[in-house]
Amino acid sequence: MPKKLIYFLSQSHIRSLIAEAWAKKLKLSDVTFISGSWLKARKTHFVSEALQEFAIDTPSSLSYVPSQKLLEKADLIVTIYDSTYEIAPHYPETLQKKIVYWDIKDPEHAKSTQSKWAIYQEICEQIAVLVMSLKKQFIEV
């Protein structure tokens, strides 16, 4: 049985990187998880600090820029966006059956460092729950 490819995609690679970290914790041998961004990837120490609270290392993988070839190769494309500040990308009709949208706050829009940290913790937990539900809905089928 060929490996499935799950592609997490967000505007700046922050939330998609968190999703990739949680997904890799599932240790599924028949699934490859990658993440990327549809705009320029950003780095912040908050990602590794939020994941460390759950004893999870930040993946060292690159941010995969979406290309037609990669989007077609993926078995599932999880698009993570913040509907308050972002517009999720529109995909061709041929890909619609393998697209899932997660509307999750972008913590980088927080006004203070303290509120930003709280939002990072919140979204880290939210993404963990969504990754677990993803496993039940799409991967174990």
Side-chain angles (χ1 to χ4, degrees):
M1 183 175 176
K3 280 188 145 192
K4 291 182 181 180
L5 176 62
I6 309 298
Y7 183 26
F8 296 102
L9 190 59
S10 63
Q11 182 170 294
S12 62
H13 194 224
I14 291 170
R15 289 159 291 162
S16 56
L17 187 62
I18 293 170
E20 179 186 357
W22 276 109
K24 286 183 173 177
K25 187 127 172 106
L26 300 174
K27 298 188 188 302
L28 299 170
S29 60
D30 60 341
V31 182
T32 299
F33 299 103
I34 62 171
S35 62
S37 63
W38 65 82
L39 290 181
K40 185 175 169 126
R42 289 184 295 179
K43 293 191 180 225
T44 173
H45 64 92
F46 286 111
V47 171
S48 59
E49 290 174 12
L51 288 170
Q52 282 300 315
E53 288 203 348
F54 297 95
I56 299 175
D57 292 325
T58 306
S60 59
S61 56
L62 299 172
S63 173
Y64 289 87
V65 177
S67 66
Q68 188 65 30
K69 184 177 180 180
L70 179 56
L71 294 172
E72 288 172 0
K73 185 178 176 184
D75 294 291
L76 185 67
I77 303 162
V78 180
T79 304
I80 306 168
Y81 73 108
D82 180 343
S83 62
T84 304
Y85 299 101
E86 303 163 348
I87 297 173
H90 179 71
Y91 299 97
E93 190 62 37
T94 55
L95 300 175
Q96 291 302 315
K97 290 183 179 177
K98 57 181 175 178
I99 307 292
V100 174
Y101 292 95
W102 292 350
D103 187 354
I104 298 174
K105 286 182 198 175
D106 182 348
E108 291 299 305
H109 290 288
K111 305 245 184 285
S112 71
T113 301
Q114 190 173 20
S115 62
K116 186 182 284 191
W117 174 239
I119 295 170
Y120 267 97
Q121 292 172 310
E122 178 185 314
I123 68 156
C124 199
E125 291 178 20
Q126 183 181 5
I127 290 171
V129 171
L130 288 168
V131 166
M132 289 306 292
S133 71
L134 186 74
K135 179 184 176 195
K136 292 175 185 158
Q137 290 177 334
F138 296 100
I139 299 169
E140 291 179 344
V141 175

